[in-house]
Each structure stands twice: as C-alpha cells, then as structure tokens.
Amino acid sequence: MEEKDMICIVCPLGCKLKVTKSDISQTGYAVEGNKCFRGVDYGIKEMTNPTRALTTTVVISDASVKRLPVRTSGTIPKPLIKQAMVLINKVEVKAPIKVGEVIIKNILDTGVDIIASRSMCQNSEHEDLLKACFLQG
C-alpha cells in the first residue's frame, strides 16, 4: 500500500499529514491529520502531481543592481523546476522593468509565465530621475 507522511504547507498550521492510497475513496487517497479542508487537497496533489511556485533572480543590465527578482505567475510541476532554472539562468533583461512584466512567457509549455517581482529603473547618475522612476513603478 502506497503511504506517505508529509507536512502541509498550504496554511500556517503545518499539519502532519498521512496520505494513503485507498481503493474505497473517490479520490483514490485517504488523508489523515489535516485540521482544514485544504490539507486533503494538498495531500492528494502531492501524491499525484506535486507543483511549486518558483522564486529566483535573473541578470539585469543598466540597473543599479545586478539581479532582478522574478517568480512564476502560478505553480509548475515539481519535476520541471531544474529545467526551468536552466532556462531562467540564461536570461538577461535590460532596465527599465516594471513589476509584473513577463520575463519568460509560458515556461516549458506549462502555461505559467516568469514575471518580474519588482520594478527596476535604468541606472542613472541623477538621483532625481531615480526617485521619479520609483514613484512611477
């Protein structure tokens, strides 16, 4: 019988779940230990198709810093994270960038985009231009 112990990460409670393959359950799995309904969904998803949100950085040129924080617009299958990182690590963007701007569209045909997590202005020697850029973004 397939069985797995895990910690639920959906809410702050961090329930200790026991997920067991079950022929009598409509979902095919029995979940124990959850204190909220989301734990059941999480446990089953972890057994059938685990996904994760991905946060990382890409190289940015013409900015005051060298890396731009980015994230997925949704979750991607856990087995694709390494492949996604290979693609993301090849990307270099140029400032200015606005928060939410798509950096990579539909990464690995998942339907999920890699988007900027913050706005970043072009590098400027003029402090008043930098302030104006951040007030707009």
Side-chain angles (χ1 to χ4, degrees):
M1 182 175 283
E2 189 179 349
E3 183 176 282
K4 187 172 182 181
D5 292 325
M6 63 185 75
I7 303 293
C8 182
I9 61 172
V10 177
C11 79
L13 293 175
C15 297
K16 294 180 182 180
L17 304 180
K18 178 179 256 177
V19 184
T20 310
K21 185 93 169 131
S22 170
D23 294 332
I24 59 173
S25 172
Q26 286 183 340
T27 61
Y29 291 91
V31 180
E32 299 173 24
N34 58 298
K35 294 182 181 116
C36 74
F37 67 93
R38 295 177 290 181
V40 174
D41 293 336
Y42 174 78
I44 293 169
K45 190 173 181 185
E46 278 298 290
M47 295 294 278
T48 58
N49 183 27
T51 61
R52 296 291 185 271
L54 178 61
T55 60
T56 187
T57 60
V58 296
V59 174
I60 186 167
S61 60
D62 290 344
S64 59
V65 294
K66 306 275 186 221
R67 308 289 295 185
L68 171 72
V70 296
R71 65 178 177 82
T72 51
S73 61
T75 59
I76 62 173
K78 195 174 172 184
L80 295 181
I81 289 177
K82 285 184 182 180
Q83 281 180 268
M85 285 304 301
V86 168
L87 293 175
I88 291 167
N89 286 333
K90 292 178 182 177
V91 170
E92 182 173 336
V93 295
K94 186 174 180 177
I97 297 285
K98 294 234 182 226
V99 66
E101 187 173 327
V102 174
I103 306 301
I104 302 173
K105 181 92 175 140
N106 190 22
I107 192 159
L108 299 171
D109 294 322
T110 59
V112 175
D113 299 330
I114 303 298
I115 60 173
S117 295
R118 69 172 278 194
S119 296
M120 207 163 291
C121 298
Q122 281 184 301
N123 197 9
S124 173
E125 293 179 16
H126 305 298
E127 191 173 319
D128 55 338
L129 291 175
L130 283 174
K131 285 180 186 175
C133 176
F134 282 108
L135 290 174
Q136 291 174 5

